[in-house]
Amino acid sequence: MEAKVTWQKELQFVGMADSGFPVKLDSHAGPETGVSPMELVVMALAGCTAMDVISILVKKKMTVTSFEVRVKADRADEHPKRFTKADLEYVIRGRGVDEASVLRAIELSLTQYCAVHATLKDSFPMAIAYSIYEEDKLVKQGTYQH
């Protein structure tokens, strides 16, 4: 895998990897024109595990109508302001979504498939939670212990 960032102006860059899709980056020190590198890290974490979990739930024939992974990450106050912890929440909406299937999908993602989680898991602690809704009614909520 290869990637590069190309300077545009000030602290604004365009990143591109092998896929060829451009991503606008900005330091957030001035007018914002893109995502910060640290935002990309948490989006990569959420996106990687989300892709695993939804593909597993679809294979298990779960009727999912919407799905998202929310991440709240805390950072150190001092430079390099690394992540110190993160909370991930899987929010699944659908009909008859089985809690055991959700837990198994999360487990498989975090222990076998998600390369981003595997890369970051020893860098800072992560708490994992899930919420299952039958459309707008919360039916199950819990945590995943890994």
Side-chain angles (χ1 to χ4, degrees), residues 49-73:
T49 188
M51 289 177 193
D52 295 337
V53 170
I54 195 63
S55 68
I56 294 165
L57 293 176
V58 167
K59 285 177 187 170
K60 289 181 174 267
K61 305 218 184 299
M62 295 287 110
T63 304
V64 178
T65 56
S66 74
F67 172 63
E68 62 187 31
V69 177
R70 300 172 182 166
V71 181
K72 181 188 178 305

Side-chain angles (χ1 to χ4, degrees), residues 60-129:
K60 289 181 174 267
K61 305 218 184 299
M62 295 287 110
T63 304
V64 178
T65 56
S66 74
F67 172 63
E68 62 187 31
V69 177
R70 300 172 182 166
V71 181
K72 181 188 178 305
D74 293 343
R75 295 179 64 186
D77 293 330
E78 301 298 320
H79 287 286
K81 297 187 180 181
R82 63 184 295 280
F83 289 122
T84 56
K85 74 173 192 164
D87 297 323
L88 282 76
E89 182 186 9
Y90 298 80
V91 181
I92 304 105
R93 294 179 191 279
R95 290 181 296 282
V97 176
D98 178 57
E99 181 180 23
S101 294
V102 169
L103 284 168
R104 180 66 175 147
I106 292 170
E107 176 185 27
L108 288 169
S109 177
L110 299 182
T111 62
Q112 291 185 32
Y113 298 126
C114 181
V116 178
H117 180 266
T119 301
L120 298 175
K121 70 179 181 175
D122 294 328
S123 298
F124 52 89
M126 294 183 217
I128 312 297

Side-chain angles (χ1 to χ4, degrees), residues 89-93 102 129-133 138-142:
E89 182 186 9
Y90 298 80
V91 181
I92 304 105
R93 294 179 191 279
V102 169
Y130 62 91
S131 301
I132 303 170
Y133 292 81
L138 179 65
V139 293
K140 292 283 182 181
Q141 195 169 36

